[in-house]
Amino acid sequence: MGACCYRALKCCRISWGAWRPAPSQAGSPIVLLLLAVAAIATAHTGGSTGFAVLTVRENSIRYRVGLYPKTLPAPISDVLLAAQAGDEDARKRLFSLHRERLMIVADGTRCAAGQAQILPADAEPDRVTVVVDFACAGHIHQLALRDDTFDVLGADHHTLVRIDAGGEAHQLALEPTNREGRVAITSQAGASRGDASFFLLGMHHILSGWDHLLFLLALLLRGGTVLALLKIVTAFTVAHSVTLALAIFEVVTLPSRLVESVIALSIAFVAAENLFPRRALSARWAVSFCFGLVHGFGFSSALRELGLPKAGLATSLLAFNLGVEAGQAMVVAAAMPLLLLLFRRARWASLLTRACSLTILVIGLALTVERIFVP
C-alpha cells in the first residue's frame, strides 16, 4: 500500500518540512480543503450492512436476513420497526419486498417464495430478522442468488451472505453494483468462497468508512520525509491487519461501542498533534501503529457478525483485507498530489495545516462524545 505513496513522493522529491511557500492567495485552498473535510464528515455515514444466511435442504431454501433499522433510510426503517412491533400492513410490505426482489435459481429454475415471518427480538434488540422460505423444483446442485432489495435498502447498503448446504459453507458479499452470486452445491464436505466479492467489500468498507479516512488524512497533514510517511502508512496497515485477524478468529474481541469511541478519539488525538509543529515526527509511526490496532477491530465488525465458518474464513479474511489495503492505497495516491499542490501554492502552509487539523479535531471530539453517550 505504501508503494503508491512512495512513488508519488519520489517523483516530487519534496517533503512538507522542506517546503518554501510561493507567493499566492492562500485563502482559496484553505477554504476548499476545509469544505472538503466538512463534506466528508456530513455526507457519508459509512453505509449499512445486512447479514443473511441461506440454509439449503434437498429441494428448499430458508433465507434469513438480519437488518438494522437505525442504519437504513427512514422509509424502510419505519417499515421494519412497525413490522417488528406487529403492524400487519408493515409486515406485508416487508414480506413482499423480499419475495419480489430476491431471486433464487436452482439448476436453472427459479425457486418459488413462500411463507415469511419475522423472528422475535433476540439478544440484539436493534436488529430485525426476516425469514422467507423458498421451494425449488428438485435437488439443488447449482445455486444462483440475485438481490434487488438494494433499491429499497439504499445505495450504501451491502449484504454479507453465508450459504449452508450440509457440510458445505459458501460465502458471498453483495452490494448495489454486485447483486448476483453463484455457487455449486456438491456432495463432498468443504468450503467455497466468493473471494472476489470479499475483496470488493473490503474496498467498499474503507472507502465508505469516512472516520478511518479522516484519521489517515490527519496523519498525512503533518507531512515529513518519504521514509517517515512510508513508516506511518505501513505501521497502520500492519496493525489493523493483525487485530482484524485476531477479532475474526475470536482470539480477542472488544465491545463495539468502546472500539468506535476510541477510533473517534484517535482522529482527535492525531489532529491535536498537528497543532504542535515543533514536536518530532520520528515516533509518529508508533502512534499510527497503536491506533491502527483499534481500527482493525472496527474493520472486523463487518465480518464477525456473519459467523463465517472457520474452513473458509482465512481466504475470505485475506481477500477482505487486501480490498481494504487497495482502497486505502487509492485514497493515499489521490490525496498526496492534492496536498502537495495545495501546500506548494499556499502562502502560509502552516496555517493550512492548522486550519485543517483544527477542523478534524472538532469532528473527532464530536464523534467521540456521540459514540460514548448517544445510545
Side-chain angles (χ1 to χ4, degrees):
M1 182 184 67
C4 295
C5 178
Y6 179 84
R7 285 195 294 269
L9 284 170
K10 187 176 181 181
C11 291
C12 296
R13 293 191 179 276
I14 197 164
S15 146
W16 269 253
W19 281 1
R20 295 292 181 268
S24 65
Q25 294 181 346
S28 295
I30 291 176
V31 172
L32 286 174
L33 193 54
L34 289 179
L35 287 175
V37 171
I40 291 173
T42 57
H44 212 301
T45 58
S48 57
T49 305
F51 301 92
V53 177
L54 277 72
T55 304
V56 180
R57 301 182 177 91
E58 287 189 4
N59 60 350
S60 66
I61 296 173
R62 168 158 287 191
Y63 177 90
R64 184 177 79 248
V65 63
L67 300 170
Y68 295 83
K70 290 183 179 180
T71 66
L72 294 169
I76 186 61
S77 175
D78 293 341
V79 171
L80 282 166
L81 292 173
Q84 189 178 49
D87 184 286
E88 193 59 32
D89 289 337
R91 289 191 170 217
K92 288 180 179 178
R93 291 175 60 186
L94 190 59
F95 295 157
S96 295
L97 167 67
H98 288 86
R99 286 182 178 130
E100 295 171 6
R101 295 180 181 265
L102 278 173
M103 183 170 69
I104 299 178
V105 177
D107 300 306
T109 303
R110 182 170 182 174
C111 301
Q115 183 179 357
Q117 60 180 308
I118 295 178
L119 297 184
D122 54 12
E124 288 193 76
D126 292 337
R127 179 169 60 189
V128 177
T129 303
V130 181
V131 177
V132 182
D133 290 320
F134 290 83
C136 305
H139 192 79
I140 301 169
H141 299 93
Q142 298 289 330
L143 182 66
L145 169 67
R146 180 176 175 84
D147 189 345
D148 287 323
T149 61
F150 298 108
D151 296 333
V152 176
L153 298 178
D156 286 335
H157 187 78
H158 49 269
T159 302
L160 299 181
V161 183
R162 188 182 81 227
I163 301 174
D164 292 335
E168 297 181 333
H170 307 263
Q171 302 157 24
L172 298 170
L174 303 179
E175 56 184 341
T177 58
N178 180 38
R179 302 185 177 202
E180 297 184 3
R182 297 175 182 274
V183 298
I185 309 297
T186 66
S187 59
Q188 297 178 351
S192 72
R193 300 159 299 279
D195 291 337
S197 64
F198 274 82
F199 178 85
L200 295 175
L201 177 65
M203 290 188 65
H204 181 277
H205 190 74
I206 184 64
L207 295 177
S208 65
W210 59 267
D211 48 357
H212 300 291
L213 297 181
L214 274 182
F215 176 77
L216 187 60
L217 176 60
L219 285 171
L220 296 176
L221 276 175
R222 273 290 293 277
T225 64
V226 172
L227 181 59
L229 291 173
L230 191 59
K231 284 182 179 179
I232 289 171
V233 175
T234 302
F236 183 75
T237 296
V238 172
H240 79 64
S241 299
V242 169
T243 49
L244 175 60
L246 291 176
I248 291 298
F249 286 102
E250 299 182 349
V251 177
V252 179
T253 57
L254 295 175
S256 59
R257 179 181 286 268
L258 173 62
V259 171
E260 294 302 320
S261 299
V262 176
I263 288 174
L265 186 62
S266 72
I267 298 170
F269 179 88
V270 175
E273 267 200 331
N274 291 342
L275 300 177
F276 300 94
R278 292 185 179 180
R279 181 167 179 174
L281 289 170
S282 59
R284 201 158 213 211
W285 67 268
V287 174
S288 176
F289 182 85
C290 291
F291 283 122
L293 293 173
V294 181
H295 283 247
F297 286 111
F299 291 140
S300 70
S301 62
L303 292 178
R304 192 175 61 250
E305 292 192 42
L306 187 58
L308 298 176
K310 295 295 188 293
L313 189 54
T315 54
S316 293
L317 174 60
L318 176 61
F320 179 83
N321 198 48
L322 289 175
V324 169
E325 300 318 316
Q328 189 166 268
M330 290 170 56
V331 172
V332 173
M336 294 301 295
L338 176 61
L339 290 173
L340 286 167
L341 178 64
L342 289 177
F343 276 86
R344 290 188 68 182
R345 294 186 177 181
R347 180 175 297 172
W348 302 290
S350 62
L351 176 60
L352 179 56
T353 301
R354 287 174 174 270
C356 294
S357 298
L358 183 59
T359 303
I360 297 174
L361 172 61
V362 172
I363 294 172
L365 291 175
L367 280 175
T368 302
V369 172
E370 178 188 13
R371 292 178 178 182
I372 291 176
F373 297 106
V374 178

